[in-house]
Amino acid sequence: MADSYETVVYSLSPNCGLGEVEEGLIYAGTVQGFANFGTFVQLNARLKGLVHKSNILQEHEERDQIFVRVINIRNNGNIDLAEVIPKVFRLETVTKAFKVTKLAEIGKQVGRSVTLETKVAQIKQTSGPTIFTLVDESGSGNAAAFIEAGVRAYPEVELGNAVLVTGEVMRRQNQLQIEVSSMQVLSGDEGQAVHTRIEEALDARAEPEDIPLLVESEVMTALRPELRKVAKLIRRAVLEAQPIILRHHADADGICAAVAVEQAVISLMREEGDDLDTAYYLFKRSPSKAPFYEIEDITRDLDFALKDHERFGQKLPLIVLMDNGSTEEDIPSMKMARVYGLPMIVVDHHHPDAIVDEYLIAHANPYHVGGDFGITAGMLGAEVARLIYPGISDRIRHLPAVAGVGDRSEAPERQRFLDLVSEDYSEDECKDIALALDYEQFWLRFNDGRELVKDILNLKDDPALQKRLVSLLVEEANAAIEEQMAASMPHVTEEILPNGANLFRIDVEIFAHRFTFPPPGKTSGEIHDRLCRQHPGEPVVTLGFGPDFAVLRSRGVMMNIPRMVRELRDEITGGGINGGGHLVVGSIKFVEGMRKAALDGLVEKIGQAPTETPRT
Amino acid sequence: MADSYETVVYSLSPNCGLGEVEEGLIYAGTVQGFANFGTFVQLNARLKGLVHKSNILQEHEERDQIFVRVINIRNNGNIDLAEVIPKVFRLETVTKAFKVTKLAEIGKQVGRSVTLETKVAQIKQTSGPTIFTLVDESGSGNAAAFIEAGVRAYPEVELGNAVLVTGEVMRRQNQLQIEVSSMQVLSGDEGQAVHTRIEEALDARAEPEDIPLLVESEVMTALRPELRKVAKLIRRAVLEAQPIILRHHADADGICAAVAVEQAVISLMREEGDDLDTAYYLFKRSPSKAPFYEIEDITRDLDFALKDHERFGQKLPLIVLMDNGSTEEDIPSMKMARVYGLPMIVVDHHHPDAIVDEYLIAHANPYHVGGDFGITAGMLGAEVARLIYPGISDRIRHLPAVAGVGDRSEAPERQRFLDLVSEDYSEDECKDIALALDYEQFWLRFNDGRELVKDILNLKDDPALQKRLVSLLVEEANAAIEEQMAASMPHVTEEILPNGANLFRIDVEIFAHRFTFPPPGKTSGEIHDRLCRQHPGEPVVTLGFGPDFAVLRSRGVMMNIPRMVRELRDEITGGGINGGGHLVVGSIKFVEGMRKAALDGLVEKIGQAPTETPRT
Amino acid sequence: MADSYETVVYSLSPNCGLGEVEEGLIYAGTVQGFANFGTFVQLNARLKGLVHKSNILQEHEERDQIFVRVINIRNNGNIDLAEVIPKVFRLETVTKAFKVTKLAEIGKQVGRSVTLETKVAQIKQTSGPTIFTLVDESGSGNAAAFIEAGVRAYPEVELGNAVLVTGEVMRRQNQLQIEVSSMQVLSGDEGQAVHTRIEEALDARAEPEDIPLLVESEVMTALRPELRKVAKLIRRAVLEAQPIILRHHADADGICAAVAVEQAVISLMREEGDDLDTAYYLFKRSPSKAPFYEIEDITRDLDFALKDHERFGQKLPLIVLMDNGSTEEDIPSMKMARVYGLPMIVVDHHHPDAIVDEYLIAHANPYHVGGDFGITAGMLGAEVARLIYPGISDRIRHLPAVAGVGDRSEAPERQRFLDLVSEDYSEDECKDIALALDYEQFWLRFNDGRELVKDILNLKDDPALQKRLVSLLVEEANAAIEEQMAASMPHVTEEILPNGANLFRIDVEIFAHRFTFPPPGKTSGEIHDRLCRQHPGEPVVTLGFGPDFAVLRSRGVMMNIPRMVRELRDEITGGGINGGGHLVVGSIKFVEGMRKAALDGLVEKIGQAPTETPRT
């Protein structure tokens, strides 16, 4: 019971309306503004009264706390107040019973006022209202709070806060929005309880459906738990409106992997109510220049992400690397990401260095379960995409076949994926699509070329356009390759190594057109393929080199390129030797002035490697 | 007459108002939303009624069709409805006679409701309303339809549809806008009739005025029909709000050509009611890096155009190539454009390869009518610009003179254009402006530098600024040329060829400053000019070469560079020979490792060409 | 007194209200629009009346002038008018006494109508209202004028005009805005008086506070007047809403200088009421590629500035160059800036060429007052920043220490700045931060990396993040340096020059990794440092060269590099020799084909320079 010397001051909770205000009682309010005739006082976000200037006792500034007695509630709802200055007082909060609505259910409450307990996933200041993206256990939604055009509403509310939101649900067509009348940060136990409940619910919603693989595969079956984990983490990011940056190898396999996930993520975002602009704002796909996540890439990604975080109240992004990311060359960038606490996921089929896993929250790689690079990133990506959004399956089911032939997979899954789509695409057509992707990506440089790529892959259901486009790109690509071969092939030199292997050397810098398609690596590959056909049944090594690099392709020679590179690095002082790759396909870098020493050393080692009669 | 067992259900056309609704009759409506007390039903876009919950017979979802009887029309216009479920019924459409207003006449209907029959030229979703750009036979205009901030209104309406639009005309200052109250797609014969009528009318409006040429010219008179066609196609694109991408050679002639058209197009757009932002959004001018439309350019243009098409409901663009585009090097890009059905226009004065015309909807080129490159692109461009927008004539009349001296035209038209502007600009001043453009464009790289270029050309009527700017740029350009000559000239080697010509060779890669003005081609040209002055009356060939290219300038030697290049390509295996240009000015590319063979071969051919005593 | 044959026509000033309108009198108005029943006429921006169609005497178009008699003022304020056509008349202006409010005081007038005399500092058309940025002697503020979404209000008002503005003050939170009801250009004496008054007041407000230096410094004390001038000019630009472009050397010293000023300017802008977006829109910080203001930079800056000026009614910018800008290499860009009247400021510690001052409105440089480059740009920048916004002092006080160690200052101030922050940062920690900045900037290329740089410098008060970030960057930078040294050091050649100095040569193009950190200049520096440690007490010169450049570092050899370069330029015909730098640290450029001659000539000169026993 109240001390009789105490005044009771009531504080109105955000959900209180006029019905909760009583004449004669004293309330705590906030000075909201001044007029000639008096001072406006906010009792809560929905209730405002006026203290006539004759009833003001002291000077105030805007946003000052003020105590007022309700002297009259008029018929039109206006509240007349008088300032009081209580000496000793006790504060009591007036609340009104309310029912908490779930975000997924606001569709049934259109036109009504609802109260929600949610987490704040994004705060975006538009030139009009402030848009809060809210998530709870049931879904996500947008709430618009307006104070003044371009001015941040509820500046005390921060990203990640648990908040109690009241507002009216607006709905037209497929867009729902809450027009906020009050928003209150929940702290302490109350906030914690909301956090925990939402966390558990989001975790459950992020769990992918249990769907079978597109084709039979021992390796991919063994990888299923990790693929599910990857899909769940990506789904979770979408449900929480966390931005996603997807970096991928800029070749046909990498593109197929990344585009499959892109389509799934965009579909999920659309289903969650995002419009197309928001979806492509939250999801960025970027082909990488290098075959790993370069420091320059993470620097650019961080630069943009931190500016967006500062400017749009955006969460820091989830980074997903596809057909990339599993080797120690990625470590410096991963360390940078870790400094800022960015979560990272890798889906790759390159031989992994164990150390990368220290930096990752998930890593799907066939080598982890006894598979090899024959299970290409595009195959893995399609399965991840289906786990993210099963409805995407039909649209992307041909991508693994394109990826498989593009990356020359020799795994049995390659044929199974080809069989899966044989009614729509022959093996040659898949090869054409892969070549079209490589060629188009070359000219796109490192832009995503989103719509062009979707057209090449027939993701907008226009097969006639796909046919015209692929057929033109393949024609152009082949003409460019022929032109390059005409310039290069006459300059290839041949020697027989001690181990009996044919070694072919070609300077791809001075005997090939530069800055055009095919670039040096692909030029070397094409030369190698032709030489292999000219020397059936013989071991063949092709060495395409420039001033400070060499690209190695081989058949029937059991080299271990990463080991050779390590040895040369130790043996050639001042050679600046670096490089790597797969066992029998790779590249090596050196300083220009030590090219002869580096190439001689390399050739000597190649000449010592055991050979075998190759499959032709 | 109606079967007596049948119920008649009326459907209200979009233009019906309260006067067309009758108590007691049954209407087909759409469920629009729910309130505590009942269900809102839309009878057409303008009329809404309420079915009290006691009068609802079954459950509905939003946008469901529903049949309702009008039980009462209140004094305030509210319509009380009751649901009915007719077993057998016949649908009758209630229409209201209306007068179709033309877009060009809405200015007289400000504040009133109008009905229009139009085609949809663009659909742009803003963060507020959806803006439909409409065209009819009389003009174009914008209509704003608002459903919810950022939400697409009338999602069933697509680009190119014929639509019946009703709305109120708003006008303040020079901007007219229709606030849409209903929009309905016209299909079948009705739609076809509207399409045809608008098509014919637009065609007529696009027809350029008949104005005389700026100067007398036999060649340009012969080209008039094609110039008119080019102008008409560009006018038509503007009238239909189709985006235009103008790619041009990045030199003084190309800039003059493109800027003339830019000014005309922007003026026409402004006259059609576009604001400046819209104008520069629909019209993009891009200097090209290469002297042709590279695959990289079309790739970038397509990437952006397809994304804009997806995102802003933008039409795919019209591509205009100026001072570029008439040779077979452009074919690969033209093929890409054709896959997407992009219309292309060329205005060029390079020697055309006939094959390009397969890909073009218009091609103005002096060679087609017996002229040659002396009629420069800037001369043609100015005439096209005047046909697009005659009011531009005075502002751009000096551009052909600048283009003519910039491209060293030897046609008689050069002097006529100089005479035309001799009161304002001397020949030397025109040369200065051309040099200023070249120099500024070098530093602009491949940005359009719109305002800077306009200032150099005095297109904002500030001759004092032009004078200061041109004078500084010319001073800097000449200083840079002198610096380059000081480095290069001492390294020029001289030999006398079998045909008596003086051959001068200079390695412009190792004996010139790199990555600065003047670049290698212009450096070679400057050297050639100086050597010609030092050897008056003698045939002179200057060969400026780098690791994988050579630039050829000549005087008094009757070479055919394209043929020489073709022959060398056949003769030098693995040389990667390419190139072309005009007969006596051109360039050749080769692979670096075959430079000696390529240059020796080239020099041998030059030495066999007939010589003549040159004009000095 | 009025001629009795004359009619008196009254013109209502913008500030007149209904109280100033009198029944029976004739007023001059403007036709505002048409309705079925009559014509609306605007008497001033606030007062509108209706001429019923029966009272219209002639046809009008919108915006026509019209004369009307007030026939009735209704109770609801509606004004009934009748058109009159006076033969002879005399115009009298009706004004109403008003009190001019200062912009700084509108906060006390929230909700009321005020009248202001101001200058227009910016005119920005939004998709909604037109926003005018106004300044007067007391401060600045925004005024929103709305005519139609996206349409420019008051098109007759231009940038820099003195205007009389009436409107209602809106305020919520910290944002004040005037909703314009009328805006009138003040011309003639009236306008001039306002201009002068505002000019004088702004000048007074721009005056920096008088605060002591961070550390004792004779040189900086002597430089104080110029530092104050720089600060005042920057403050003045902020107060007038003039954009600022800050270009700086892309190394640790330049970054510290520029970031200090950036923080101060942003703080001042925020205090002046700009939101964060506006602040970063008006202030751009750009690291420069070259160690001077390149033509390419000014071209890009001008291209953007002129487009913004055209599009957003933005003033042309103030250009501030830091750790850059004091040598004749900057002159061509400064000339370009001058053509457009852009004011330029330099804060630099490189040896200045007197000629630059012809182009500058202020230039703070220690050499002007007997100091040298030991007073680094970062030290000067921090003091300028403090004069711009004293409240920034604590946050940036460690920047001069980082700059000092980063630029290897040997001035006594270096230690004083280190002592100042010794509780927070040791000398080694400052070196680490400087290295982290250099390394991060390398990967940022020429982006500002704003948030990353702020984190490295702990400007967001997160020392733990700073520690993690700097420690990682230093680790990576050192690993990269070690890798580079392993490739380069074995290829250094040594010779003893006639003057006894050790000359070390290294080809940093072919014996170092390219396109990675450390770049050639820093690689040469690292090699030099190691060689100096290996040869204590001996004079050492290190010459790192590439195909067309050489970088010189020296210890104990009293060279004058700028003079050597000038001599070589004269001596070596066709060498294309250029370059410069400090006396004993610098670089030289030449054409590739003359490298041997250039390096031989250079070495000969080095061998003639006097030596001294160096401090080790």
Side-chain angles (χ1 to χ4, degrees), chain A residues 277 445 448 455 483 491 510, chain B residues 296 307 311 340 569 574 593:
Chain A
D277 261 22
R445 305 303 179 195
D448 67 350
D455 289 336
E483 172 76 17
H491 304 288
I510 71 167
Chain B
E296 190 165 357
K307 284 175 179 166
R311 195 168 158 202
Y340 278 97
R569 188 174 164 82

Side-chain angles (χ1 to χ4, degrees), chain A residues 107 110-112 127 170-177 275-277 280 439-440 443-445 447-456 460 465 468-469 472-473 475-476 483-484 486-488 490-491 509-515, chain B residues 32 34-36 62-63 127 147-155 294-296 298-300 302-304 306-307 310-312 331-332 335-341 547-548 569 573-578 589-594:
Chain A
V110 175
R112 295 186 205 143
S127 59
M170 309 294 293
R171 177 192 193 164
R172 294 185 192 90
Q173 303 199 40
N174 294 317
Q175 296 278 336
L176 286 163
Q177 186 169 285
D275 60 28
L276 207 59
D277 261 22
Y280 281 119
Y439 182 72
E440 187 63 20
W443 295 113
L444 281 167
R445 305 303 179 195
N447 298 313
D448 67 350
R450 194 172 65 225
E451 304 303 321
L452 280 162
V453 166
K454 279 160 71 179
D455 289 336
I456 292 171
K460 292 192 281 190
L465 173 61
R468 286 200 308 277
L469 185 54
L472 171 63
L473 294 173
E475 179 191 319
E476 295 293 330
E483 172 76 17
Q484 195 70 297
S488 299
H491 304 288
E509 184 94 353
I510 71 167
F511 293 123
H513 299 282
R514 297 169 67 182
F515 311 121
Chain B
Q32 187 244 357
F34 305 97
N36 277 330
E62 260 184 71
R63 304 183 72 77
S127 58
I147 291 206
E148 183 172 353
V151 175
R152 169 70 140 78
Y154 302 103
E294 285 189 299
I295 301 198
E296 190 165 357
I298 177 74
T299 302
R300 172 175 300 259
L302 266 177
D303 185 16
F304 290 160
L306 292 171
K307 284 175 179 166
E310 181 84 8
R311 195 168 158 202
F312 301 119
I331 296 295
K335 285 182 175 169
M336 270 301 275
R338 188 166 62 176
V339 163
Y340 278 97
D548 57 3
R569 188 174 164 82
T573 306
I577 309 275
N578 265 318
K589 300 197 77 180
F590 35 79
V591 295
E592 185 173 341
M594 293 295 280

